[in-house]
mmCIF file of all heavy atoms in Angstrom:
data_model
loop_
_atom_site.group_PDB
_atom_site.id
_atom_site.type_symbol
_atom_site.label_atom_id
_atom_site.label_comp_id
_atom_site.label_asym_id
_atom_site.label_seq_id
_atom_site.Cartn_x
_atom_site.Cartn_y
_atom_site.Cartn_z
ATOM 1 N N LEU A 51 14.017 30.395 -35.637
ATOM 2 C CA LEU A 51 13.464 29.430 -34.671
ATOM 3 C C LEU A 51 12.508 28.484 -35.367
ATOM 4 O O LEU A 51 12.536 27.288 -35.162
ATOM 5 C CB LEU A 51 12.775 30.187 -33.538
ATOM 6 C CG LEU A 51 12.166 29.322 -32.458
ATOM 7 C CD1 LEU A 51 13.245 28.538 -31.718
ATOM 8 C CD2 LEU A 51 11.384 30.177 -31.478
ATOM 9 N N MET A 52 11.674 29.038 -36.202
ATOM 10 C CA MET A 52 10.714 28.207 -36.971
ATOM 11 C C MET A 52 11.455 27.246 -37.890
ATOM 12 O O MET A 52 11.119 26.075 -37.981
ATOM 13 C CB MET A 52 9.780 29.114 -37.771
ATOM 14 C CG MET A 52 8.704 28.364 -38.532
ATOM 15 S SD MET A 52 7.676 29.546 -39.428
ATOM 16 C CE MET A 52 6.380 28.466 -39.969
ATOM 17 N N ARG A 53 12.458 27.725 -38.561
ATOM 18 C CA ARG A 53 13.262 26.896 -39.464
ATOM 19 C C ARG A 53 13.938 25.766 -38.674
ATOM 20 O O ARG A 53 13.918 24.605 -39.121
ATOM 21 C CB ARG A 53 14.319 27.769 -40.154
ATOM 22 C CG ARG A 53 15.034 27.113 -41.295
ATOM 23 C CD ARG A 53 15.929 28.077 -42.044
ATOM 24 N NE ARG A 53 15.127 28.915 -42.941
ATOM 25 C CZ ARG A 53 15.040 30.240 -42.847
ATOM 26 N NH1 ARG A 53 15.686 30.898 -41.912
ATOM 27 N NH2 ARG A 53 14.299 30.916 -43.709
ATOM 28 N N SER A 54 14.478 26.066 -37.532
ATOM 29 C CA SER A 54 15.121 25.042 -36.716
ATOM 30 C C SER A 54 14.121 23.990 -36.239
ATOM 31 O O SER A 54 14.417 22.787 -36.248
ATOM 32 C CB SER A 54 15.792 25.671 -35.483
ATOM 33 O OG SER A 54 16.805 26.527 -35.869
ATOM 34 N N ARG A 55 12.939 24.436 -35.835
ATOM 35 C CA ARG A 55 11.908 23.513 -35.403
ATOM 36 C C ARG A 55 11.486 22.587 -36.551
ATOM 37 O O ARG A 55 11.339 21.383 -36.380
ATOM 38 C CB ARG A 55 10.695 24.277 -34.864
ATOM 39 C CG ARG A 55 9.562 23.388 -34.456
ATOM 40 C CD ARG A 55 8.385 24.173 -33.895
ATOM 41 N NE ARG A 55 7.862 25.173 -34.787
ATOM 42 C CZ ARG A 55 7.009 24.942 -35.777
ATOM 43 N NH1 ARG A 55 6.628 23.717 -36.049
ATOM 44 N NH2 ARG A 55 6.572 25.924 -36.528
ATOM 45 N N LEU A 56 11.327 23.166 -37.730
ATOM 46 C CA LEU A 56 10.922 22.360 -38.889
ATOM 47 C C LEU A 56 12.004 21.365 -39.305
ATOM 48 O O LEU A 56 11.684 20.253 -39.723
ATOM 49 C CB LEU A 56 10.563 23.275 -40.054
ATOM 50 C CG LEU A 56 9.262 24.068 -39.884
ATOM 51 C CD1 LEU A 56 9.080 25.075 -41.014
ATOM 52 C CD2 LEU A 56 8.073 23.140 -39.774
ATOM 53 N N ILE A 57 13.256 21.744 -39.203
ATOM 54 C CA ILE A 57 14.336 20.806 -39.507
ATOM 55 C C ILE A 57 14.293 19.634 -38.530
ATOM 56 O O ILE A 57 14.417 18.482 -38.909
ATOM 57 C CB ILE A 57 15.713 21.533 -39.483
ATOM 58 C CG1 ILE A 57 15.836 22.456 -40.708
ATOM 59 C CG2 ILE A 57 16.870 20.521 -39.451
ATOM 60 C CD1 ILE A 57 17.022 23.367 -40.687
ATOM 61 N N TYR A 58 14.110 19.953 -37.248
ATOM 62 C CA TYR A 58 14.011 18.895 -36.240
ATOM 63 C C TYR A 58 12.812 17.998 -36.509
ATOM 64 O O TYR A 58 12.912 16.769 -36.495
ATOM 65 C CB TYR A 58 13.916 19.507 -34.853
ATOM 66 C CG TYR A 58 13.739 18.465 -33.772
ATOM 67 C CD1 TYR A 58 14.815 17.758 -33.286
ATOM 68 C CD2 TYR A 58 12.482 18.178 -33.281
ATOM 69 C CE1 TYR A 58 14.662 16.788 -32.301
ATOM 70 C CE2 TYR A 58 12.307 17.201 -32.301
ATOM 71 C CZ TYR A 58 13.395 16.520 -31.820
ATOM 72 O OH TYR A 58 13.231 15.545 -30.870
ATOM 73 N N GLN A 59 11.648 18.583 -36.801
ATOM 74 C CA GLN A 59 10.449 17.788 -37.046
ATOM 75 C C GLN A 59 10.571 16.979 -38.338
ATOM 76 O O GLN A 59 9.975 15.923 -38.457
ATOM 77 C CB GLN A 59 9.215 18.695 -37.109
ATOM 78 C CG GLN A 59 8.851 19.258 -35.763
ATOM 79 C CD GLN A 59 7.702 20.253 -35.847
ATOM 80 O OE1 GLN A 59 7.468 20.852 -36.886
ATOM 81 N NE2 GLN A 59 7.024 20.437 -34.723
ATOM 82 N N SER A 60 11.350 17.453 -39.268
ATOM 83 C CA SER A 60 11.574 16.689 -40.517
ATOM 84 C C SER A 60 12.401 15.446 -40.243
ATOM 85 O O SER A 60 12.242 14.443 -40.910
ATOM 86 C CB SER A 60 12.300 17.576 -41.530
ATOM 87 O OG SER A 60 11.529 18.665 -41.906
ATOM 88 N N ARG A 61 13.282 15.510 -39.270
ATOM 89 C CA ARG A 61 14.136 14.385 -38.942
ATOM 90 C C ARG A 61 13.454 13.343 -38.066
ATOM 91 O O ARG A 61 13.778 12.187 -38.102
ATOM 92 C CB ARG A 61 15.387 14.868 -38.221
ATOM 93 C CG ARG A 61 16.306 15.630 -39.117
ATOM 94 C CD ARG A 61 17.537 16.072 -38.408
ATOM 95 N NE ARG A 61 18.389 16.796 -39.344
ATOM 96 C CZ ARG A 61 19.169 17.789 -39.009
ATOM 97 N NH1 ARG A 61 19.283 18.158 -37.745
ATOM 98 N NH2 ARG A 61 19.900 18.404 -39.925
ATOM 99 N N LYS A 62 12.510 13.793 -37.262
ATOM 100 C CA LYS A 62 11.868 12.899 -36.275
ATOM 101 C C LYS A 62 10.442 12.581 -36.737
ATOM 102 O O LYS A 62 9.466 13.040 -36.147
ATOM 103 C CB LYS A 62 11.853 13.565 -34.898
ATOM 104 C CG LYS A 62 13.197 13.972 -34.370
ATOM 105 C CD LYS A 62 14.063 12.768 -34.180
ATOM 106 C CE LYS A 62 15.420 13.187 -33.615
ATOM 107 N NZ LYS A 62 16.308 12.079 -33.477
ATOM 108 N N ARG A 63 10.326 11.821 -37.782
ATOM 109 C CA ARG A 63 9.027 11.438 -38.320
ATOM 110 C C ARG A 63 8.602 10.092 -37.718
ATOM 111 O O ARG A 63 9.406 9.430 -37.051
ATOM 112 C CB ARG A 63 9.069 11.329 -39.836
ATOM 113 C CG ARG A 63 9.519 12.573 -40.581
ATOM 114 C CD ARG A 63 8.811 13.832 -40.200
ATOM 115 N NE ARG A 63 7.360 13.730 -40.376
ATOM 116 C CZ ARG A 63 6.513 14.642 -39.922
ATOM 117 N NH1 ARG A 63 6.961 15.707 -39.279
ATOM 118 N NH2 ARG A 63 5.238 14.503 -40.098
ATOM 119 N N GLY A 64 7.414 9.658 -38.017
ATOM 120 C CA GLY A 64 6.906 8.412 -37.458
ATOM 121 C C GLY A 64 7.386 7.157 -38.192
ATOM 122 O O GLY A 64 7.402 6.089 -37.617
ATOM 123 N N ILE A 65 7.774 7.313 -39.421
ATOM 124 C CA ILE A 65 8.248 6.149 -40.198
ATOM 125 C C ILE A 65 9.569 6.527 -40.867
ATOM 126 O O ILE A 65 9.832 7.657 -41.180
ATOM 127 C CB ILE A 65 7.219 5.684 -41.250
ATOM 128 C CG1 ILE A 65 6.858 6.792 -42.236
ATOM 129 C CG2 ILE A 65 5.945 5.145 -40.579
ATOM 130 C CD1 ILE A 65 5.965 6.350 -43.378
ATOM 131 N N LEU A 66 10.399 5.510 -41.054
ATOM 132 C CA LEU A 66 11.740 5.714 -41.571
ATOM 133 C C LEU A 66 11.738 6.350 -42.946
ATOM 134 O O LEU A 66 12.574 7.199 -43.256
ATOM 135 C CB LEU A 66 12.490 4.371 -41.614
ATOM 136 C CG LEU A 66 13.916 4.411 -42.153
ATOM 137 C CD1 LEU A 66 14.787 5.349 -41.297
ATOM 138 C CD2 LEU A 66 14.522 3.022 -42.211
ATOM 139 N N GLU A 67 10.806 5.955 -43.811
ATOM 140 C CA GLU A 67 10.735 6.494 -45.149
ATOM 141 C C GLU A 67 10.588 7.998 -45.141
ATOM 142 O O GLU A 67 11.262 8.735 -45.884
ATOM 143 C CB GLU A 67 9.575 5.860 -45.939
ATOM 144 C CG GLU A 67 9.768 4.387 -46.261
ATOM 145 C CD GLU A 67 9.322 3.444 -45.127
ATOM 146 O OE1 GLU A 67 9.069 3.918 -43.978
ATOM 147 O OE2 GLU A 67 9.249 2.245 -45.387
ATOM 148 N N ASN A 68 9.700 8.493 -44.265
ATOM 149 C CA ASN A 68 9.506 9.944 -44.164
ATOM 150 C C ASN A 68 10.712 10.637 -43.531
ATOM 151 O O ASN A 68 11.022 11.768 -43.881
ATOM 152 C CB ASN A 68 8.232 10.249 -43.399
ATOM 153 C CG ASN A 68 7.011 10.087 -44.241
ATOM 154 O OD1 ASN A 68 7.087 9.806 -45.433
ATOM 155 N ND2 ASN A 68 5.856 10.198 -43.631
ATOM 156 N N CYS A 69 11.369 9.959 -42.591
ATOM 157 C CA CYS A 69 12.592 10.526 -42.011
ATOM 158 C C CYS A 69 13.614 10.817 -43.108
ATOM 159 O O CYS A 69 14.184 11.896 -43.170
ATOM 160 C CB CYS A 69 13.201 9.602 -40.987
ATOM 161 S SG CYS A 69 12.268 9.406 -39.479
ATOM 162 N N ILE A 70 13.784 9.875 -43.994
ATOM 163 C CA ILE A 70 14.754 10.012 -45.092
ATOM 164 C C ILE A 70 14.321 11.117 -46.052
ATOM 165 O O ILE A 70 15.096 12.001 -46.407
ATOM 166 C CB ILE A 70 14.948 8.680 -45.803
ATOM 167 C CG1 ILE A 70 15.586 7.656 -44.868
ATOM 168 C CG2 ILE A 70 15.791 8.847 -47.071
ATOM 169 C CD1 ILE A 70 15.568 6.225 -45.370
ATOM 170 N N ILE A 71 13.079 11.068 -46.489
ATOM 171 C CA ILE A 71 12.577 12.045 -47.462
ATOM 172 C C ILE A 71 12.606 13.452 -46.904
ATOM 173 O O ILE A 71 13.177 14.372 -47.508
ATOM 174 C CB ILE A 71 11.146 11.658 -47.902
ATOM 175 C CG1 ILE A 71 11.158 10.396 -48.752
ATOM 176 C CG2 ILE A 71 10.502 12.812 -48.660
ATOM 177 C CD1 ILE A 71 9.785 9.828 -49.023
#
Side-chain angles (χ1 to χ4, degrees):
L51 181 64
M52 183 180 190
R53 191 173 282 118
S54 297
R55 177 179 56 80
L56 290 173
I57 288 171
Y58 177 80
Q59 289 175 336
S60 297
R61 291 182 179 148
K62 304 297 181 183
R63 304 308 304 169
I65 58 174
L66 179 61
E67 292 85 348
N68 282 354
C69 291
I70 294 168
I71 291 170

